[in-house]
């Protein structure tokens, strides 16, 4: 869970940075005038947090970036990650389709899900496409071997 906490801290700090950057911009003017006196903030104003939707995960094939409606993949069990059956009634041990670890494919602890969330966040904050954001992430994580 430590990495999850760190992730949230990093997220928070990022939001603070975004907020300080935005203070210089037009968005500052849209903040409630009553909470701002002589150019500084008297009472705590909620930091500006852009809405980051959860990564889209297909309930059919478990892959990200599309919904079940648009799915062209194979029905894959979200519990054991094996194609050909649904998680309904699956008694197998959890096995993640994405990262191959011992959790179900819809687990919030999945590192792949965290990466997808990061991509969403960068995509929205920097107003770039999914592919561009993914590219940024993969450059960040270039293995050092
Ligand atoms: Zn799918
Ligand atoms: Zn299964
Ligand atoms: Zn996983």
């Amino acid at each position: 869970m430590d990495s999850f906490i760190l992730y949230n801290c990093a997220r928070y700090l990022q939001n603070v940075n975004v907020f300080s950057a935005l203070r210089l911009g037009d968005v500052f003017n849209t903040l409630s005038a009553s909470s701002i006196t002589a150019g500084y903030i008297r009472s705590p104003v909620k930091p500006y947090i852009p809405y980051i939707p959860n990564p889209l995960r297909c309930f059919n094939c478990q892959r990200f970036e599309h919904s079940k409606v648009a799915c062209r993949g194979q029905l894959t069990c979200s519990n054991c990650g094996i194609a050909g059956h649904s998680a309904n009634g699956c008694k197998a041990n959890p096995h993640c389709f994405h990262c191959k670890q011992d959790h179900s494919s819809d687990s919030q602890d999945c590192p792949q899900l965290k990466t997808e969330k990061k991509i969403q966040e960068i995509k929205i904050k920097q107003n770039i496409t999914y592919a561009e954001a993914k590219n940024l992430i993969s450059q960040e994580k270039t293995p050092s071997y």
Side-chain angles (χ1 to χ4, degrees):
M1 280 315 263
D2 275 351
S3 66
F4 185 65
I5 292 162
L6 278 176
Y7 174 76
N8 277 320
C9 285
R11 242 177 93 113
Y12 176 71
L13 287 174
Q14 270 177 4
N15 286 332
V16 171
N17 286 340
V18 166
F19 178 56
S20 13
L22 287 172
R23 272 165 64 178
L24 304 168
D26 289 334
V27 178
F28 186 62
N29 299 327
T30 67
L31 292 169
S32 162
S34 64
S35 63
I36 298 161
T37 310
Y40 65 89
I41 294 166
R42 188 172 52 183
S43 60
V45 174
K46 274 188 190 166
Y48 171 73
I49 301 171
Y51 174 65
I52 318 281
N54 273 326
L56 193 62
R57 183 177 57 84
C58 177
F59 291 111
N60 191 50
C61 73
Q62 307 306 323
R63 287 176 173 82
F64 291 106
E65 286 178 69
H66 68 264
S67 68
K68 188 177 175 178
V69 187
C71 184
R72 293 174 168 217
Q74 209 182 350
L75 172 69
T76 301
C77 177
S78 67
N79 181 53
C80 68
I82 291 171
H85 67 271
S86 80
N88 222 338
C90 175
K91 297 274 190 289
N93 289 329
H95 181 79
C96 181
F97 172 80
H98 306 290
C99 69
K100 315 297 177 209
Q101 289 177 23
D102 294 341
H103 53 238
S104 62
S105 301
D106 51 8
S107 167
Q108 294 299 306
D109 292 329
C110 181
Q112 183 70 39
L113 177 73
K114 288 177 185 174
T115 304
E116 291 295 325
K117 281 186 177 174
K118 197 85 198 152
I119 293 171
Q120 286 280 347
E121 202 176 311
I122 291 173
K123 178 185 144 188
I124 288 165
K125 284 187 181 166
Q126 302 190 14
N127 197 20
I128 55 179
T129 66
Y130 179 91
E132 284 166 339
K134 195 169 184 172
N135 209 8
L136 279 178
I137 291 265
S138 58
Q139 281 170 3
E140 238 173 56
K141 302 204 305 180
T142 307
S144 49
Y145 52 81

